[in-house]
Amino acid sequence: MTAAFAPSPQAPLPQAGEGSSGSIASARDLIESSGIDASEARSLLAFVLDAKREALIARPQQPVTPDGVARFRDLCARRARGEPVAYLLGQREFFGRLFRVDRSVLIPRPETECLVEAALRQMQGIFAPRVLDLGTGSGCIAITLALERPDAQVWAIDVSRSALEVARRNAAALSASVAFLCGCWFAPLRGRFELIVANPPYVASGDPHLEELSYEPREALTDGADGMSNLVQIARDAPKHLATGGALLLEHGYNQGRAVRKLMASSGFDSTHTLQDLAGIERVCVGRIN
Ligand SMILES: C[S@@+](CC[C@H](N)C(=O)[O-])C[C@H]1O[C@@H](n2cnc3c(N)ncnc32)[C@H](O)[C@@H]1O
């Protein structure tokens, strides 16, 4: 990307507000008049300028060229209409790494880092664990596990071909070794795993939160019913795909903890318990097959 605020070394630095149309503006003025959250505006301006956010804080009077101003205002208008910052930037940080995202994948959520931490704890003491990530989306879970545990053999499945393309690109960019397969949950696979993780679509179709999430793929968010059908299918089928002592970690919605514990216990899992996310909300159900 070209730097929209870096004049050529020979040219004098323009001053903010200078120019016949007055369309050069300082970074600070642009952020203050953006009409959106200032922190998000700073991220968008840093993206337009191919600069770091810290550089804008250190040099708030930094002039921005008319082209940069126009591009920034366009992004702010899209943000004001509700488009997520991650899609505008084309990336989102997850577990300390940047993942490319576009509208074919769910934007990785901080609460899913709780699932990854729990998965890493489950893998402790197991050499070369076989790991399966169901509904991989951007690949954030599978790729993170593969990078945090380079001895693991990691498979990842999604029903969406366009999501898998994003996941494959992320794996290549981050040099992660993951085998990606297309299909419905366990269908493309044989064999058993020490660990199965899944963050399936679990939002009920009538949940009012879906409206705020309209930019993300609907089929990544909801089963079109009560939100439980994918959780049921995965919990019921997982025992056939787990090695003895293997564990299933299922992410679920804020109000599904009790139902998922019951579901996993009735599907044959032992030591079934729920982990909370950083907000203290029940988020991941863990169970073991003995
Ligand atoms: C909630 S998103 C999770 C994405 C990613 N794992 C994450 O945590 O950010 C659910 C994913 O499941 C996929 N999915 C939905 N139905 C599926 C099915 N029947 N079989 C496999 N994947 C499915 C969607 O395409 C989507 O990528």
Side-chain angles (χ1 to χ4, degrees):
M1 173 169 306
T2 54
F5 68 14
S8 73
Q10 295 81 12
L13 267 179
Q15 295 305 301
E18 189 178 285
S20 54
S21 63
S23 51
I24 289 176
S26 74
R28 180 177 18 219
D29 287 351
L30 282 175
I31 290 168
E32 283 179 359
S33 64
S34 66
I36 62 169
D37 173 83
S39 172
E40 292 183 350
R42 189 169 292 114
S43 295
L44 295 178
L45 187 56
F47 172 70
V48 164
L49 302 176
D50 199 16
K52 289 203 183 307
R53 283 167 51 87
E54 298 73 34
L56 298 182
I57 295 168
R59 296 182 65 199
Q61 294 301 343
Q62 180 73 54
V64 180
T65 63
D67 174 54
V69 171
R71 282 165 44 217
F72 172 71
R73 293 215 166 112
D74 173 56
L75 289 175
C76 290
R78 289 167 62 186
R79 179 67 195 120
R81 287 196 292 272
E83 199 164 336
V85 171
Y87 288 150
L88 295 172
L89 301 180
Q91 62 186 27
R92 167 55 61 95
E93 188 183 317
F94 182 82
F95 221 82
R97 299 182 181 90
L98 281 178
F99 286 79
R100 308 289 303 180
V101 291
D102 65 25
R103 288 189 62 181
S104 57
V105 296
L106 187 94
I107 298 166
R109 304 291 203 269
E111 55 267 29
T112 301
E113 295 184 342
C114 162
L115 173 72
V116 168
E117 277 165 1
L120 291 171
R121 283 196 298 275
Q122 289 292 330
M123 290 154 77
Q124 271 168 15
I126 307 175
F127 178 70
R130 290 164 295 175
V131 179
L132 173 60
D133 173 28
L134 295 170
T136 198
S138 64
C140 59
I141 300 173
I143 291 169
T144 302
L145 295 178
L147 292 172
E148 295 293 321
R149 278 293 302 262
D151 62 318
Q153 304 170 69
V154 184
W155 285 261
I157 289 178
D158 206 288
V159 77
S160 157
R161 287 194 185 279
S162 50
L164 282 171
E165 255 179 56
V166 174
R168 284 197 180 97
R169 279 207 305 273
N170 277 323
L174 292 164
S175 304
S177 174
V178 177
F180 292 101
L181 299 165
C182 189
C184 181
W185 303 136
F186 295 98
L189 269 172
R190 275 170 218 280
R192 291 185 181 261
F193 300 85
E194 275 71 42
L195 183 65
I196 298 175
V197 295
N199 174 19
Y202 54 65
V203 182
S205 61
D207 191 315
H209 294 103
L210 274 180
E211 210 171 303
E212 298 155 27
L213 306 173
S214 63
Y215 282 84
E216 293 181 85
R218 207 173 161 80
E219 52 291 356
L221 291 162
T222 178
D223 60 356
D226 66 352
M228 285 297 296
S229 64
N230 291 306
L231 294 162
V232 169
Q233 197 177 339
I234 292 169
R236 294 265 187 261
D237 288 348
K240 294 192 286 264
H241 299 275
L242 281 167
T244 304
L248 170 66
L249 272 64
L250 261 187
E251 181 172 327
H252 57 71
Y254 68 96
N255 56 357
Q256 293 167 327
R258 185 205 288 247
V260 177
R261 272 193 304 279
K262 220 171 129 191
L263 165 67
M264 284 186 48
S266 70
S267 303
F269 287 91
D270 290 329
S271 327
T272 304
H273 60 283
T274 304
L275 306 172
Q276 297 180 345
D277 63 21
L278 287 176
I281 295 167
E282 290 194 330
R283 187 57 68 189
V284 175
C285 193
V286 184
R288 190 174 287 282
I289 289 294
N290 289 318

